[in-house]
Amino acid sequence: MRAIWKGAIAFGLVNVPVKVYSATEDHDISLHQVHNADGGRIRYQRRCEVCGEIVDYSDIEKAYEDDGRTVILTKDELKSIPAENSHEIEVVQFVPSEQLDPIMFEKSYYLEPDSKSPKAYMLLRRALEDTERVAVVQFALRDKTRLGALRIRDDVLMLQALLWADEVREAAFPALDTSIRISAQEREMSAALVESMASDFEPEQFTDDYQAQLRQLIEAKLEKGDALDTEETFGAEAEGGKGEVIDLMEALKRSLDKKRGGAAAAGDSDGEESEGEEQAEPAKRASRSSGGRSSGTRSSTAKKDAGDSDAGTAGGGTAKRAAAGSRSKTSTASKTGTASKTSASKSGTAAKSATASKAGTATKSTAKTARKGA
């Protein structure tokens, strides 16, 4: 890092020399403008609207216009302002940190000791730690007198530039004055949703998706040129999330169910299916394949096919014998690792055959056979 300013903290009669560094930086990808016809770089020129000449930066001054009158302020005149020449960070008071509204925070700076002995720096830092307060300071930086807060971050003194009170706008929205009734159920459900999303803030968990996708687009463009397919690069656009929420309770319920469902799915993915779930799967498939037949016939047939082929109920045996001709060819396959699909498919066939021949000779024959077996 490179120091952008040097000064001293005036802490009563104690003087603390420091170097000032920008504590933050912009990570955005830098883009410039070009002519879309030939890719030529677009340059801005400082052109005087009176004489039409292009003016060098060294020949440019600042001015203020008031009721048609223009006052030109030279660089030397601006430097003559007393506050501009001050390199002192004056501590004016110590306040509890909770009294500083975050809306006032502007730019952050690190302060490094700028003397052979950092004792005065350490003393001020220890004073802030012991009193659990923040130092309110005033200083001048880059043609502006500023208000600031001096606090500690990772054992380093940090200068937090603050907005002046008249730079913060008042929020006046008529819609907020409307009387709105919020039910107890809505409050409970919203509190439950907050609780389901509660966590400790860890900024490292979050990324700038736009910059990451912009980098992806640039790399794809470098590789494929004008043949770039943006839909192929980014995939299909996600659906939903664009409609207006009308039913607040329904939205809260769905949000809560989604959070709970996500947590349950994450828990289930770590374990294996239970034996009961494995046995129930063929029955579910058999139920779907048998269409509008009675639930009793579907259930008994599917259970018979999913279980041991040597034991079963009389109803299952009847269905099995009615479909003996078609099932005999796949009896071996039903005992292998694909038993679920084959059993479910054949049980559907068995159920259809048994139902179709309900009033015919086949039903009577199978009934007699069942009685003899009993």
Coordinates of all heavy atoms in Angstrom, one line a residue, residues 4 83 88-90 92 106-109 136-149 159-164 167:
I4 N -1.3 7.9 1.3 CA -1.9 9.0 0.5 C -1.8 10.4 1.2 O -2.1 11.4 0.6 CB -3.4 8.7 0.2 CG1 -4.2 8.6 1.5 CG2 -3.5 7.4 -0.6 CD1 -5.7 8.5 1.3
A83 N -7.8 25.7 6.3 CA -8.1 24.3 6.6 C -7.4 23.4 5.6 O -7.1 22.2 5.9 CB -9.6 24.1 6.5
E88 N -3.6 18.1 10.6 CA -3.8 17.6 11.9 C -5.2 16.9 12.0 O -6.2 17.4 11.4 CB -3.8 18.8 12.9 CG -4.0 18.4 14.3 CD -3.9 19.6 15.2 OE1 -5.0 20.3 15.4 OE2 -2.8 19.9 15.8
I89 N -5.2 15.8 12.6 CA -6.5 15.1 12.9 C -6.8 15.4 14.3 O -6.3 14.8 15.3 CB -6.3 13.6 12.6 CG1 -5.8 13.3 11.2 CG2 -7.6 12.8 12.9 CD1 -5.5 11.8 10.9
E90 N -7.7 16.3 14.5 CA -8.0 16.8 15.9 C -9.1 16.0 16.5 O -10.2 15.8 16.0 CB -8.4 18.2 15.8 CG -8.8 18.8 17.2 CD -9.3 20.2 17.1 OE1 -9.6 20.7 16.0 OE2 -9.6 20.8 18.2
V92 N -12.0 15.7 19.0 CA -12.8 16.7 19.6 C -13.7 16.1 20.7 O -14.1 16.8 21.7 CB -13.7 17.4 18.6 CG1 -12.9 18.2 17.6 CG2 -14.6 16.3 17.8
E106 N -18.5 6.9 5.5 CA -18.1 7.2 4.1 C -16.9 6.4 3.7 O -17.0 5.2 3.4 CB -17.9 8.7 3.9 CG -17.8 9.1 2.5 CD -17.6 10.6 2.3 OE1 -17.2 11.3 3.3 OE2 -17.9 11.2 1.3
K107 N -15.7 6.9 3.8 CA -14.5 6.3 3.4 C -13.7 5.8 4.6 O -13.7 6.5 5.6 CB -13.7 7.2 2.5 CG -12.4 6.7 1.9 CD -12.6 5.7 0.8 CE -11.3 5.3 0.1 NZ -11.5 4.3 -0.9
S108 N -12.9 4.7 4.4 CA -12.2 4.2 5.6 C -10.7 4.3 5.2 O -10.2 4.1 4.1 CB -12.5 2.7 5.8 OG -13.9 2.6 6.2
Y109 N -9.9 4.6 6.3 CA -8.4 4.8 6.1 C -7.7 4.1 7.3 O -8.2 4.1 8.4 CB -8.0 6.2 6.1 CG -8.7 7.1 5.1 CD1 -9.9 7.8 5.4 CD2 -8.2 7.2 3.8 CE1 -10.5 8.5 4.4 CE2 -8.8 7.9 2.8 CZ -10.0 8.6 3.1 OH -10.6 9.4 2.2
V136 N -14.3 11.1 18.0 CA -14.8 11.9 16.9 C -13.7 12.9 16.6 O -13.2 13.6 17.5 CB -16.1 12.6 17.3 CG1 -16.5 13.5 16.2 CG2 -17.2 11.5 17.6
V137 N -13.3 13.0 15.3 CA -12.2 13.9 14.9 C -12.6 14.7 13.8 O -13.6 14.5 13.1 CB -11.0 13.0 14.5 CG1 -10.5 12.1 15.6 CG2 -11.3 12.2 13.3
Q138 N -11.8 15.8 13.5 CA -12.0 16.7 12.3 C -10.7 16.7 11.6 O -9.6 16.8 12.3 CB -12.5 18.0 12.7 CG -14.0 18.1 13.2 CD -14.4 19.5 13.4 OE1 -13.9 20.2 14.2 NE2 -15.5 19.9 12.8
F139 N -10.7 16.7 10.3 CA -9.5 16.8 9.5 C -9.8 17.3 8.1 O -10.9 17.3 7.7 CB -8.8 15.4 9.5 CG -9.6 14.3 8.8 CD1 -9.3 13.9 7.5 CD2 -10.7 13.7 9.4 CE1 -10.0 13.0 6.8 CE2 -11.4 12.7 8.8 CZ -11.1 12.3 7.5
A140 N -8.7 17.7 7.4 CA -8.9 18.1 6.0 C -8.1 17.2 5.1 O -7.0 16.8 5.4 CB -8.3 19.6 5.9
L141 N -8.8 16.8 4.0 CA -8.2 15.8 3.1 C -8.8 16.0 1.7 O -10.0 16.1 1.6 CB -8.4 14.4 3.6 CG -7.9 13.3 2.7 CD1 -6.3 13.4 2.6 CD2 -8.3 11.9 3.2
R142 N -8.0 16.3 0.7 CA -8.4 16.4 -0.7 C -9.4 17.5 -0.8 O -10.5 17.3 -1.3 CB -8.9 15.1 -1.2 CG -7.8 14.0 -1.3 CD -8.3 12.7 -1.7 NE -7.2 11.7 -1.9 CZ -7.4 10.4 -2.2 NH1 -8.6 9.9 -2.2 NH2 -6.3 9.6 -2.3
D143 N -9.1 18.7 -0.5 CA -9.9 19.9 -0.7 C -11.2 19.8 0.0 O -12.2 20.4 -0.4 CB -10.1 20.1 -2.2 CG -8.9 20.3 -3.0 OD1 -7.9 20.7 -2.4 OD2 -8.8 19.9 -4.2
K144 N -11.2 19.2 1.2 CA -12.5 19.1 1.9 C -12.2 18.9 3.4 O -11.4 18.0 3.7 CB -13.4 17.9 1.4 CG -14.7 17.9 2.0 CD -15.6 16.8 1.3 CE -16.9 16.7 2.0 NZ -17.8 15.6 1.4
T145 N -12.9 19.7 4.2 CA -12.8 19.4 5.7 C -13.8 18.3 6.0 O -15.0 18.4 5.6 CB -13.2 20.7 6.4 OG1 -12.3 21.8 6.0 CG2 -13.0 20.5 7.9
R146 N -13.4 17.4 6.8 CA -14.2 16.2 7.0 C -14.4 15.9 8.5 O -13.5 16.3 9.4 CB -13.5 15.0 6.4 CG -13.3 15.1 4.9 CD -12.4 14.0 4.3 NE -12.1 14.2 2.9 CZ -12.8 13.7 1.9 NH1 -13.8 12.8 2.2 NH2 -12.5 13.9 0.7
L147 N -15.4 15.2 8.8 CA -15.7 14.7 10.1 C -15.3 13.2 10.1 O -15.5 12.6 9.1 CB -17.2 14.9 10.5 CG -17.6 14.5 11.9 CD1 -17.1 15.5 12.9 CD2 -19.2 14.6 12.0
G148 N -14.8 12.7 11.2 CA -14.4 11.3 11.2 C -14.5 10.6 12.5 O -14.8 11.3 13.5
A149 N -14.4 9.3 12.5 CA -14.4 8.5 13.7 C -13.2 7.7 13.8 O -12.8 7.0 12.8 CB -15.7 7.6 13.7
L159 N -9.3 5.3 10.6 CA -10.0 6.6 10.5 C -11.2 6.4 9.6 O -11.0 6.1 8.4 CB -9.1 7.7 10.0 CG -9.7 9.1 9.8 CD1 -10.3 9.7 11.0 CD2 -8.7 10.0 9.1
Q160 N -12.4 6.6 10.1 CA -13.6 6.4 9.3 C -14.2 7.8 9.0 O -14.7 8.5 9.9 CB -14.6 5.6 10.1 CG -15.9 5.2 9.3 CD -15.7 3.8 8.6 OE1 -15.3 2.9 9.3 NE2 -16.0 3.7 7.4
A161 N -14.1 8.2 7.7 CA -14.7 9.5 7.3 C -16.2 9.4 7.4 O -16.8 8.4 7.1 CB -14.3 9.9 5.9
L162 N -16.8 10.5 8.0 CA -18.2 10.6 8.2 C -18.8 11.7 7.4 O -18.2 12.7 7.1 CB -18.5 10.8 9.7 CG -18.0 9.8 10.7 CD1 -18.3 10.3 12.1 CD2 -18.6 8.5 10.4
L163 N -20.1 11.5 7.0 CA -20.8 12.6 6.3 C -21.2 13.7 7.4 O -21.4 13.3 8.6 CB -22.1 12.1 5.7 CG -21.9 11.1 4.5 CD1 -23.2 10.5 4.1 CD2 -21.2 11.7 3.3
W164 N -21.3 14.9 6.9 CA -21.8 15.9 7.8 C -23.3 15.7 8.0 O -24.0 15.1 7.1 CB -21.5 17.3 7.3 CG -20.1 17.6 7.2 CD1 -19.3 17.5 6.0 CD2 -19.2 18.0 8.2 NE1 -18.0 17.9 6.3 CE2 -17.9 18.2 7.7 CE3 -19.4 18.3 9.6 CZ2 -16.8 18.6 8.4 CZ3 -18.3 18.7 10.3 CH2 -17.1 18.9 9.8
E167 N -25.7 16.4 5.2 CA -25.5 15.6 3.9 C -26.3 14.4 4.0 O -26.4 13.6 3.0 CB -24.0 15.3 3.8 CG -23.1 16.5 3.5 CD -21.7 16.1 3.3 OE1 -21.2 15.3 4.1 OE2 -21.0 16.6 2.3

